[in-house]
Amino acid sequence: MTPQPKRITDIGPPHYEKFLPPIIKRNYGQWKYHESLAPGVLCHVSESGEKLYTVRAGSPRLLSIQTIRLFADLADKYCGGYLRFTSRNNVEFLLDDPTRIEPLKKDLREAGFPVGGTNNAISNVVHTQGWVHCHSSATDASGLVKSVMDALFDQFTEEKLPAKLRIAVACCLNMCGAVHCSDIAILGIHRRPPKILHNILPKVCQAPTLIASCPTGAIRPATVDGKQSVEVVEEQCMFCGNCYTVCPAMPLNDPENDGISIWVGGKVSNARTAPKFTKLAIPFLPNNPPRWPEVVDAVVNIVNVYAQNAKKFERVGEWIERIGWPRFFQLTGIEFTRYHIDDFKNAGQTYARSTHIRF
Amino acid sequence: MADDTKSKTKLLDELEKGPWPSFVTEIKKATATNPMCEDLLGQLELSYEEKKGHWKHGGIVGVLGYGGGVIGRYSDVAEQFPKVAHFHTLRINQPSGWFYTSDALRTLCDIWERHGSGLTNMHGSTGDIVFLGTKTDELEPTFKELTEAGFDLGGSGSCMRTPSACAGQARCEWACYDTLKLCNDVTQAYQDELHRPPFPYKFKIKCSGCPNDCVASIARADLSVIGTWKDEIQQDDGAVAEYAAGGLDIKKDVCDRCPTRCMDWDGKKLTINNGECVRCMHCINVMPKALRPGKERGATILIGSKAPIVAGALLSSVLVPFIPAAELFDTIKELLSRVWEFWDEYGKNRERVGELIQRVGMANFLDGIGLEPAPEMIAAPRDNPYIFFRTKEEK
């Protein structure tokens, strides 16, 4: 047998220094301040006086190699081939020549990639895989993002909100994205217990692991048609899907009952107020592809009411804390229901425990 | 433009309309180089018709010697869409801060054109480059070409997950430590943990240069490293006056928004009581030309954040209030070895470290990893009297 060439493993990512443009290498750690030149255009000024210009454009995150090659060509044409992506799936071109900003913006716009997403704008939407690639999704993430951002397009290309506004989409409670700390979160939900596939369950999963996976203890051992299986105490099921993650014989998908919930008021930044979780605004909206009109209307309504009522620099959660939740529901016209009242662990912490009530 | 009378994807075609860039257009573009994408469109159209996903649960696939980095995916309608019968994902570790050259991107595109669908995510939620969709046979050849080009896989399952960092000192005056270097150093130091799952569940590390936290580390990382400073905010009075002259209402928009009201503006001079400052960043965000983080820089280490599954969402909480920038890497390595030892000993299957701390209590966790309690770790002392006093003296 001929010896195999040694496989290369455990090398980690390429070193970032290989990808930094010369202007960044010269001024690394020496940046003094930055200015916003226009929506989507930043200028960072170094102690040395050198200026770095960033042009930011939105992308659908799901990119073909054809589009990545287009970005590469634009980077070659305008900035020596140097570019980066942001934590919110935007692409950024790093220029040292300000005369190239406008031609680059024009090329980006013509190719269909909007420039914006900086400062008091709605930046790109952090989101998950959905029906494109996930087994546990209750909805499609990419289609929701596209539908919502089409409706809020001007909020990406302009900076006219009271503060920055961050939207995230997750297609199930696993929340592969910072949905739980976003200004507005769109979350796919299941609403029916798993349909147990008793015939395959003993073959594909271990009952003790499955039983232990349930956070509410709703899964119990059971004998079905003479075979070892499990049963679900349906009143105890909160449709989290953890059992399905550990056992494929517990699918929750249910086209009639799966849907969307809307959450508001979370933030990650420490600016002014502490980071906070999103809180439930709308417990259920129908899953209505391809354009999800009910979800789009609900999100646009919340953005508009926030934009009209919040003070300068108030994030959505800070605005709601100032005006109080009863007024949030009143201003947005969203119905308050029993589902808004927490009944999971430590639920009492979200009950009103004072007489501070606005009448 | 799609012809409505002939198109097989009438619902998805709707998502090519409107101004925001369309993922459907991206999938259609990729059909030029790989016919897999035609069946992906077909299956996705079916999902849109039925309001139901058509991917089967998981499946253990990977590359030789690694226990992570590949997510197995199989179609449950493979007879109808045979080209996506297998449609596995590779997670590829991004360079720190997501900086690239056009050549590096083209190399990645060429590899993916040869071996997969040609569809990617730039990037996945954790930060990896995601190669979306290939057959089992192509995994090893893709990996070989990736490593030859200097790239490696990211984490999945109960591995350490791919660490991520904000742009940091490469492009930000607020970065209180070198996030790119720390992210890269940590990633290289734990290659074994990244590729061969050693833990009860996933473990994420995210490096943000300042309390604005652009990589959401406080919400999404088991270990959050957030830059901060100890000394006084650097202040340029001339630039403050320029902001005032330019129409900024410094009292209303800066001083009154300060969470500790530690700032005063008398119309001419801005005075900051730095002893009361909690380093929230608001005033610096509003006047980046006039105010900057101090010079004695480092980071706060927080632990335990996660999304809801299983025992509820958590934000990270303070573990070490301040570590000087120069000591970060060594201190984090030492901390991680103790945290991982405790988690390995006491953590249950699929229990994140934050959930373990909730279950056993922070005080027991601190005992376990040998850290002294500090008042910076809490928002308030306990408000219940059920104290587990020790009945035996400790040695």
Side-chain angles (χ1 to χ4, degrees), chain B residues 16-168:
Chain B
E16 288 198 278
K17 299 171 184 168
W20 189 253
S22 167
F23 71 103
V24 176
T25 306
E26 292 298 317
I27 302 174
K28 287 186 177 177
K29 271 192 198 175
T31 58
T33 40
N34 194 319
M36 272 181 131
C37 300
E38 291 160 12
D39 276 5
L40 177 67
L41 279 169
Q43 180 177 317
L44 191 57
E45 179 77 7
L46 185 66
S47 285
Y48 270 64
E49 285 166 8
E50 296 179 348
K51 305 183 186 186
K52 188 176 169 222
H54 280 290
W55 298 107
K56 276 202 266 190
H57 192 286
I60 297 169
V61 286
V63 300
L64 188 67
Y66 279 18
V70 182
I71 316 301
R73 200 62 84 215
Y74 300 91
S75 171
D76 72 1
V77 282
E79 306 77 25
Q80 209 177 336
F81 304 105
K83 291 174 222 160
V84 291
H86 307 192
F87 202 67
H88 310 317
T89 291
L90 289 114
R91 290 182 183 159
I92 298 144
N93 201 324
Q94 81 284 5
S96 275
W98 300 287
F99 285 89
Y100 296 93
T101 55
S102 50
D103 285 346
L105 288 181
R106 288 194 192 97
T107 301
L108 289 167
C109 290
D110 293 349
I111 293 171
W112 197 224
E113 180 173 345
R114 284 192 285 276
H115 296 293
S117 71
L119 291 174
T120 73
N121 290 146
M122 298 297 277
H123 293 79
S125 292
T126 296
D128 298 281
I129 303 157
V130 175
F131 277 4
L132 213 55
T134 195
K135 296 178 164 57
T136 308
D137 295 347
E138 294 289 354
L139 294 172
E140 197 62 40
T142 313
F143 178 68
K144 182 170 181 288
E145 288 205 36
L146 283 169
T147 51
E148 282 167 3
F151 285 88
D152 199 348
L153 297 190
S156 66
S158 296
C159 290
M160 185 174 93
R161 299 300 182 88
T162 305
S164 73
C166 67

Side-chain angles (χ1 to χ4, degrees), chain A residues 7-16 18-20 24 28-29 31-35 44 47 52 54 58-69 72-73 76 81-87 89 92 94 112-114 124 127 129 131-135 140 142-143 145-147 149-150 153 156 173-178 180-181 209 213 215 240 242 244-246 248 253 255 268-272 275-277 287 289-292 311-314 344-345, chain B residues 11 14-15 17-23 26-27 29-30 33 40 44 47-48 50-53 55-57 63-64 66 73 87 89 93-102 104-106 109-110 113 118-125 132 140 143 147-148 150-152 167 169-174 178 180-181 184 187-188 191 195-196 211-214 216 218-220 253 257 259 280 282 285-286 288-289 292 306-311 313-315 349-350:
Chain A
R7 281 172 88 246
I8 306 169
T9 68
D10 298 86
I11 57 171
H15 199 280
Y16 56 90
K18 285 167 48 179
F19 304 134
L20 300 178
I24 285 186
Y28 198 92
W31 300 107
K32 193 175 174 191
Y33 66 90
H34 74 274
E35 292 175 305
H44 285 81
E47 298 278 6
L52 171 70
T54 300
S59 95
R61 185 180 88 134
L62 196 166
L63 294 178
S64 61
I65 53 176
Q66 286 79 1
T67 292
I68 298 173
R69 285 170 179 154
D73 291 345
D76 282 347
Y82 294 99
L83 70 170
R84 70 178 291 265
F85 292 84
T86 72
S87 56
N89 315 315
E92 288 185 336
L94 305 163
F113 297 96
N124 206 343
H127 65 99
Q129 297 289 13
W131 291 331
V132 175
H133 206 255
C134 185
H135 66 286
D140 187 41
S142 305
V145 170
K146 167 72 177 150
S147 302
M149 286 310 283
D150 275 342
F153 188 76
F156 181 85
L173 271 57
N174 277 306
M175 291 193 193
C176 309
H180 58 300
C181 295
T209 311
S213 75
C240 72
N242 197 46
Y244 180 55
T245 302
V246 302
N253 285 348
V268 161
S269 155
N270 283 268
R272 298 169 304 281
K276 38 184 142 263
F277 287 129
N287 215 0
R291 280 281 173 184
W292 286 272
K311 293 183 178 173
K312 202 171 164 187
F313 300 117
E314 276 179 343
F344 195 53
K345 289 185 307 183
Chain B
L11 295 173
E14 288 298 311
L15 290 167
K17 299 171 184 168
W20 189 253
S22 167
F23 71 103
E26 292 298 317
I27 302 174
K29 271 192 198 175
T33 40
L40 177 67
L44 191 57
S47 285
Y48 270 64
E50 296 179 348
K51 305 183 186 186
K52 188 176 169 222
W55 298 107
K56 276 202 266 190
H57 192 286
V63 300
L64 188 67
Y66 279 18
R73 200 62 84 215
F87 202 67
T89 291
N93 201 324
Q94 81 284 5
S96 275
W98 300 287
F99 285 89
Y100 296 93
T101 55
S102 50
L105 288 181
R106 288 194 192 97
C109 290
D110 293 349
E113 180 173 345
L119 291 174
T120 73
N121 290 146
M122 298 297 277
H123 293 79
S125 292
L132 213 55
E140 197 62 40
F143 178 68
T147 51
E148 282 167 3
F151 285 88
D152 199 348
Q169 294 178 346
R171 206 220 22 215
C172 187
E173 68 271 26
W174 298 330
D178 189 343
L180 300 187
K181 183 171 192 312
N184 192 66
T187 306
Q188 292 293 354
Q191 281 294 298
H195 300 307
R196 295 162 198 94
N212 284 324
D213 198 1
C214 288
I218 204 162
R220 311 198 46 210
D253 290 340
R257 287 274 170 214
C280 87
H282 174 74
N285 291 343
V286 177
K289 235 174 149 170
R292 302 161 73 189
K306 57 179 285 297
I309 305 295
V310 182
L314 295 169
L315 288 162
N349 183 36
R350 283 171 58 74

Side-chain angles (χ1 to χ4, degrees), chain B residues 231-250:
Chain B
D231 57 344
E232 299 183 345
I233 290 175
Q234 300 182 68
Q235 188 173 335
D236 177 340
D237 285 330
V240 174
E242 272 177 44
Y243 277 109
L248 179 69
D249 187 336
I250 293 181

Side-chain angles (χ1 to χ4, degrees), chain A residues 29-247:
Chain A
Q30 300 300 314
W31 300 107
K32 193 175 174 191
Y33 66 90
H34 74 274
E35 292 175 305
S36 299
L37 303 186
V41 184
L42 304 172
C43 170
H44 285 81
V45 182
S46 165
E47 298 278 6
S48 72
E50 280 200 281
K51 291 181 176 178
L52 171 70
Y53 302 90
T54 300
V55 175
R56 179 181 295 176
S59 95
R61 185 180 88 134
L62 196 166
L63 294 178
S64 61
I65 53 176
Q66 286 79 1
T67 292
I68 298 173
R69 285 170 179 154
L70 169 82
F71 291 160
D73 291 345
L74 288 174
D76 282 347
K77 186 173 171 188
Y78 291 107
C79 45
Y82 294 99
L83 70 170
R84 70 178 291 265
F85 292 84
T86 72
S87 56
R88 303 192 77 84
N89 315 315
N90 299 300
V91 59
E92 288 185 336
F93 296 86
L94 305 163
L95 293 76
D96 55 12
D97 179 355
T99 66
R100 298 190 169 190
I101 294 172
E102 288 307 319
L104 170 59
K105 283 168 73 174
K106 186 165 169 281
D107 277 3
L108 281 165
R109 271 195 303 268
E110 280 171 7
F113 297 96
V115 173
T118 45
N119 298 310
N120 294 350
I122 296 181
S123 189
N124 206 343
V125 178
V126 165
H127 65 99
T128 54
Q129 297 289 13
W131 291 331
V132 175
H133 206 255
C134 185
H135 66 286
S136 66
S137 52
T139 185
D140 187 41
S142 305
L144 278 163
V145 170
K146 167 72 177 150
S147 302
V148 167
M149 286 310 283
D150 275 342
L152 293 170
F153 188 76
D154 292 348
Q155 300 287 6
F156 181 85
T157 55
E158 297 170 26
E159 297 175 348
K160 56 186 181 183
L161 289 168
K164 62 167 95 165
L165 198 151
R166 298 287 177 256
I167 301 178
V169 174
C171 39
C172 81
L173 271 57
N174 277 306
M175 291 193 193
C176 309
V179 164
H180 58 300
C181 295
S182 304
D183 292 284
I184 301 176
I186 301 165
L187 174 66
I189 47 169
H190 300 289
R191 295 189 304 157
R192 290 294 180 272
K195 292 177 263 320
I196 306 166
L197 306 176
H198 295 290
N199 51 339
I200 64 159
L201 191 140
K203 281 175 265 175
V204 295
C205 35
Q206 296 172 317
T209 311
L210 169 59
I211 289 162
S213 75
C214 180
T216 65
I219 303 175
R220 297 193 296 219
T223 306
V224 179
D225 297 335
K227 283 186 197 154
Q228 279 300 304
S229 189
V230 298
E231 63 183 8
V232 175
V233 184
E234 298 203 350
E235 309 80 71
Q236 277 173 246
C237 180
M238 53 185 187
F239 323 110
C240 72
N242 197 46
C243 56
Y244 180 55
T245 302
V246 302
C247 174

Side-chain angles (χ1 to χ4, degrees), chain B residues 140-347:
Chain B
E140 197 62 40
T142 313
F143 178 68
K144 182 170 181 288
E145 288 205 36
L146 283 169
T147 51
E148 282 167 3
F151 285 88
D152 199 348
L153 297 190
S156 66
S158 296
C159 290
M160 185 174 93
R161 299 300 182 88
T162 305
S164 73
C166 67
Q169 294 178 346
R171 206 220 22 215
C172 187
E173 68 271 26
W174 298 330
C176 292
Y177 70 96
D178 189 343
T179 57
L180 300 187
K181 183 171 192 312
L182 182 72
C183 179
N184 192 66
D185 287 350
V186 166
T187 306
Q188 292 293 354
Y190 297 112
Q191 281 294 298
D192 199 31
E193 287 80 359
L194 229 158
H195 300 307
R196 295 162 198 94
F199 301 133
Y201 202 16
K202 65 182 89 168
F203 193 92
K204 300 190 177 189
I205 301 172
K206 291 188 186 294
C207 310
S208 274
C210 84
N212 284 324
D213 198 1
C214 288
V215 287
S217 69
I218 204 162
R220 311 198 46 210
D222 298 274
L223 195 84
S224 319
V225 186
I226 302 180
T228 189
W229 67 96
K230 262 191 144 171
D231 57 344
E232 299 183 345
I233 290 175
Q234 300 182 68
Q235 188 173 335
D236 177 340
D237 285 330
V240 174
E242 272 177 44
Y243 277 109
L248 179 69
D249 187 336
I250 293 181
K251 176 169 187 317
K252 184 163 162 260
D253 290 340
V254 181
C255 301
D256 291 354
R257 287 274 170 214
C258 169
T260 63
R261 299 289 190 276
C262 73
M263 313 182 80
D264 188 53
W265 169 249
D266 66 2
K268 287 178 191 158
K269 168 85 183 154
L270 180 71
T271 314
I272 305 175
N273 178 358
N274 277 279
E276 294 302 313
C277 170
V278 289
R279 281 91 184 142
C280 87
M281 293 298 292
H282 174 74
C283 60
I284 296 174
N285 291 343
V286 177
M287 300 195 289
K289 235 174 149 170
L291 302 176
R292 302 161 73 189
K295 291 178 175 167
E296 190 184 347
R297 297 180 176 194
T300 302
I301 309 289
L302 304 92
I303 191 159
S305 69
K306 57 179 285 297
I309 305 295
V310 182
L314 295 169
L315 288 162
S316 282
S317 64
V318 174
L319 191 63
V320 186
F322 187 82
I323 299 172
E327 297 167 23
L328 268 172
F329 180 58
D330 290 339
T331 309
I332 286 170
K333 267 178 79 176
E334 170 66 27
L335 257 179
L336 282 179
S337 72
R338 298 195 220 170
V339 168
W340 287 347
E341 195 183 335
F342 186 84
W343 190 30
D344 186 46
E345 176 89 19
Y346 299 103

